[in-house]
Amino acid sequence: MLDKINVENPQLFIHAFENAGIGMAIISLDGKLLKVNQSLCTSFGYTAEEVLHLSMKDLLHPDDLAIDKLIIQELTEGKRKSYQMERRYIHKDNHEIWAIMNVSLVRDENDQPRFYISQIQDISVQLRTVAKLRESEERYHRLVEESPDGVIILKEERCVFINKTGVELLGLSSKKDIIGRTIFDFIHKKDHKAYKKRDFCRESVGPLEKRFIRMDGKIITVELKAIPTTFRDEPAVHVNIRDISASKKAQELMINSEKLTIAGQLAAGIAHEVRNPLTAIKGFFQMMEKDVTENKLYFDVIGSEINRIEVILNELLLLAKPQEAKFEFKNIEVILNHVLTLLESQTNLNNIQIIKNIEPSIPLIKCDENQLKQVFINFLKNSIEAMPRGGMIHIDVLKQSPTSILIRIVDQGSGIPEHLLNRIGEPFFTTKEKGTGLGLMICKNIIEEHKGKIKIESSPSGTRIEIHFPTS
Ligand SMILES: Nc1ncnc2c1ncn2[C@@H]1O[C@H](COP(=O)(O)OP(=O)(O)O)[C@@H](O)[C@H]1O
Ligand SMILES: [Mg+2]
């Protein structure tokens, strides 16, 4: 069959030219398009008729005309037989087309250049696909990198990837600290067995609760989820870890605070029981006091101490009561005085002097008295705790503007190191062995509820707290 076909038949070449899957063009020496095929028309958006009125310059990207000159020169001088390169063209509607171009110079029997023949393979679609793929890969990478959960990728239990959160979670100084190490270096020994039992490469597992050991030796509780994946074309496991230590601690604290409530209720009960006999003592004492002429001084002391016991009992009863916010107009000075009475024994014990300066005619502020007391107690207790060798605490109450007052507490304590300042008020952030790290958070919440503002400044010579409250 084949031998009957005349391969010299020009029809055959015309057929191959016209029906080629890539664009083909015959171009005159001065760049005119003499003949083009359908693929080329399709790629450039022109009809065959339109193309024949164009020259190569109309199809080439204007920035690449210089390259074209060079190609023509080298082909004409016979330095090269053909040229192949990836280059840009311009579509009829002006958008860029990327294509692989091949061009060669056809010469006649006297070796004189006659015309160029060029193949142009449009690769815009492929390039777009590659770009999309890269974009989606980048998106995946960003998602993993910015994930609020730690992500570790394991190949046969060895870490081959970790994200930013993972580095922070495990307290590493850089990603390099973990790459190549086995995950068992970071899992608590008691959890190894349970972890080994699972075949993570086959199925998704979790969430499981596991203990991890940070670089600094601290143990954290994490929720772990493992998903089979591939890494550089090989089977791997994507491990998600979420630190749940804080919520676990919160849970424990809730239980503790329940215990505290019970202790508070007990204290309130005792206060109540003590108040009754105290009322009787006070009554008889006042009756006796009238007739006393001797040792008058002793009686004055007994009288003022009885009053003090009464004040403290009343405060205990108030604070132990369930806290339901009750907003009323109150005098800030009266509230402060109550708090100072409560803290008196502590300030005396620690050799601390409280210097109070309250500007006259401070307007009343709408507040919940008990909550505000809690705020002052928390701030002052922190100040007292920061001054183990004693000193002074200044409390100023000033009219700030017609609609706000300023309460300033300045202590001479050890101060809050600058790098910790922005963590202040974070729940559970404490530098004290027996601290809860809840005091300032509670203060912040209460002040916000009162539409107030708080500012904390600190230096190694002391801390200054400013609270602004609206008065209307
Ligand atoms: N007046 C202060 N002087 C120095 N440090 C302070 C002061 N107030 C707060 N801090 C720091 O802020 C941390 C958090 O305080 P807080 O929330 O009251 O919790 P806690 O007192 O239980 O530690 C303290 O542990 C301490 O490091
Ligand atoms: Mg505190």
Side-chain angles (χ1 to χ4, degrees), residues 378 382 385 432 439:
N378 280 331
N382 281 343
E385 282 159 5
K432 298 166 196 166

Side-chain angles (χ1 to χ4, degrees), residues 417-435:
E418 207 181 319
H419 68 281
L420 297 179
L421 251 180
N422 61 349
R423 299 201 53 195
I424 296 297
E426 216 176 82
F428 313 121
F429 174 73
T430 179
T431 56
K432 298 166 196 166
E433 205 179 321
K434 288 195 177 145

Side-chain angles (χ1 to χ4, degrees), residues 436-462:
T436 60
L438 286 174
L440 289 186
M441 186 200 69
I442 292 171
C443 288
K444 269 190 168 173
N445 287 349
I446 294 178
I447 291 167
E448 269 167 28
E449 246 177 74
H450 283 75
K451 308 221 166 12
K453 284 204 182 80
I454 177 177
K455 197 168 105 192
I456 302 180
E457 278 171 27
S458 200
S459 77
S461 54

Side-chain angles (χ1 to χ4, degrees), residues 99-110:
I100 300 173
M101 173 211 72
N102 192 301
V103 62
S104 52
L105 180 60
V106 181
R107 293 167 188 269
D108 63 13
E109 56 271 22
N110 300 322

